[in-house]
Amino acid sequence: QVQVAESGGGWVQPGGSLRLSCASSGRTGSGYTVAWFRQAPGLEREFVVATRWSGTTTRYAAAVQGRFTISRDNAKNAVYLQMNTLKPEDSAVYYCAATEKNLIWSSMANHQYYDSWGQGTQVTVSS
């Protein structure tokens, strides 16, 4: 089974930037979709962005469109989330999730389709 692990969280002032990393291992099939979700205290888990490893389909949540960018490094089996113009409402624990399926666009935001989850990394945006 695929395993994923996040890193790169921390504290940043509003308007600042952070880059999160998600390292994966154990992948065996040709299909693969990786996503980022986040969860703030007292709130439900929220979809952020997802992409097929092939890069053919990527979906962003409206709240982060234009500020966050997902990218991948095939050689390192890693996915990155570049977060710019951060706002206090972006503060949350960010989770990397993966599935060995090529999810269609309409399924990408549903956390139930993902089999593997990391432990999460805290992102705090405050002055």
Side-chain angles (χ1 to χ4, degrees):
Q1 185 176 354
V2 172
Q3 293 184 324
V4 293
E6 312 90 341
S7 61
W11 172 84
V12 65
Q13 291 186 333
S17 299
L18 278 176
R19 190 177 84 153
L20 306 183
S21 300
C22 174
S24 66
S25 62
R27 180 184 167 196
T28 58
S30 59
Y32 197 50
T33 303
V34 182
W36 289 93
F37 289 78
R38 66 187 182 186
Q39 189 166 20
L43 299 179
E44 293 186 353
R45 184 166 23 186
E46 178 186 23
F47 170 74
V48 177
V49 60
T51 188
R52 288 188 183 177
W53 194 254
S54 63
T56 55
T57 305
T58 299
R59 177 176 179 174
Y60 288 91
V64 306
Q65 181 81 48
R67 300 189 297 121
F68 291 11
T69 303
I70 191 169
S71 62
R72 66 193 183 283
D73 185 327
N74 292 349
K76 295 182 178 180
N77 285 322
V79 169
Y80 306 101
L81 181 63
Q82 178 66 42
M83 305 184 294
N84 298 328
T85 319
L86 282 161
K87 305 175 182 180
E89 51 264 44
D90 293 318
S91 297
V93 177
Y94 282 70
Y95 297 93
C96 180
T99 176
E100 291 195 82
K101 303 182 187 71
N102 283 327
L103 294 182
I104 60 176
W105 190 89
S106 60
S107 298
M108 283 182 163
N110 188 334
H111 65 89
Q112 294 180 330
Y113 287 106
Y114 296 89
D115 311 303
S116 304
W117 292 82
Q119 294 298 310
T121 185
Q122 177 71 47
V123 172
T124 303
V125 184
S126 71
S127 54

